[in-house]
Amino acid sequence: GSPGGVIGGRMIFFTRELFLGIQPKSGWERRAENEWYRRVKVYARYAEMIAPLLPAAVRRLCKQSLHDAVVREAALRDGELVMLLDATNALSGFRGRQVRLAFRGVQGRPSVAKLVGQWWLYEEAHLCSRARFSLHVLFDPSELEVEADELVIELSPRRRQ
C-alpha cells in the first residue's frame, strides 16, 4: 500500500479483483468463489495467530464486521481518524446501530475525504511495524489502510421498531 494509508491501500486476502470475480456474470465466478473460500480459511488461521497482539477493539471489529455499513462522516485531525458509519442494514453484529470508530495514534495522513457515502465491504487486521496495528478496508469503490495504536468503538442505542 501507499505510505500513511492513502486511499489505494491494498487488501491482502480479500482483494477487489477477487471481490469482482465472485459477482454474477464475472466470467469466473466459480474459480473466484473457490479462491475466496480458500482465503477465508487462510485469513481465519492468520487472524487467530495475530489476535493476541491486536487491541481488543480491533479483534471485535473484525469479528462483528461492518459489512454493508455506509460511511456518514470521516475526518482526520491531530493523529485521530474518526468515522461515523450507519450500520442500519449492515450484515454484521453492529446491524441497526450507528457506529463511531475513533482510530488514535494514526501514522501518516490517510486520505478520508472521499469515503463519505461509500459502503464498507470487508476488513483485514494486520500487524504493523509503525503502529500497534494496521486495518485494511475494502469499500465500494475504494480502499483504505489505517495504521494506528488504538481503536475506540462507540455505538448508538438501537432504534425502537
Side-chain angles (χ1 to χ4, degrees):
S2 36
V6 225
I7 287 187
R10 284 282 167 250
M11 298 290 281
I12 294 170
F13 293 91
F14 308 111
T15 64
R16 178 163 313 279
E17 177 187 24
L18 201 52
F19 172 72
L20 295 173
I22 64 174
Q23 304 308 309
K25 298 188 174 85
S26 73
W28 62 294
E29 299 103 298
R30 183 168 291 159
R31 277 183 306 137
E33 283 176 5
N34 289 338
E35 180 61 15
W36 185 272
Y37 292 124
R38 188 185 75 76
R39 290 185 188 196
V40 165
K41 289 177 189 166
V42 172
Y43 180 72
R45 289 196 308 264
Y46 168 80
E48 187 180 340
M49 296 300 291
I50 68 170
L53 302 170
L54 295 171
V58 175
R59 293 193 308 266
R60 177 184 179 198
L61 175 63
C62 291
K63 185 175 184 188
Q64 292 190 273
S65 185
L66 277 165
H67 186 78
D68 283 355
V70 180
V71 179
R72 295 296 179 218
E73 296 173 20
L76 178 68
R77 283 188 209 90
D78 302 323
E80 181 175 80
L81 168 59
V82 176
M83 296 173 68
L84 183 64
L85 293 112
D86 180 354
T88 302
N89 298 309
L91 304 173
S92 80
F94 296 115
R95 185 181 183 92
R97 310 295 283 270
Q98 300 297 306
V99 180
R100 182 180 184 271
L101 302 178
F103 295 90
R104 298 183 177 150
V106 173
Q107 295 297 312
R109 299 204 40 84
S111 176
V112 297
K114 295 178 179 153
L115 291 179
V116 174
Q118 292 193 28
W119 294 70
W120 180 298
L121 299 175
Y122 298 97
E123 67 285 319
E124 299 174 358
H126 297 282
L127 299 178
C128 177
S129 63
R130 298 187 336 146
R132 195 155 168 223
F133 68 92
S134 175
L135 188 74
H136 300 214
V137 184
L138 180 67
F139 290 96
D140 182 25
S142 68
E143 294 182 35
L144 175 71
E145 180 179 343
V146 179
E147 296 174 338
D149 291 324
E150 185 183 359
L151 170 63
V152 176
I153 302 171
E154 295 174 5
L155 304 177
S156 68
R158 290 191 187 275
R159 292 200 179 104
R160 300 203 186 276
Q161 298 298 332

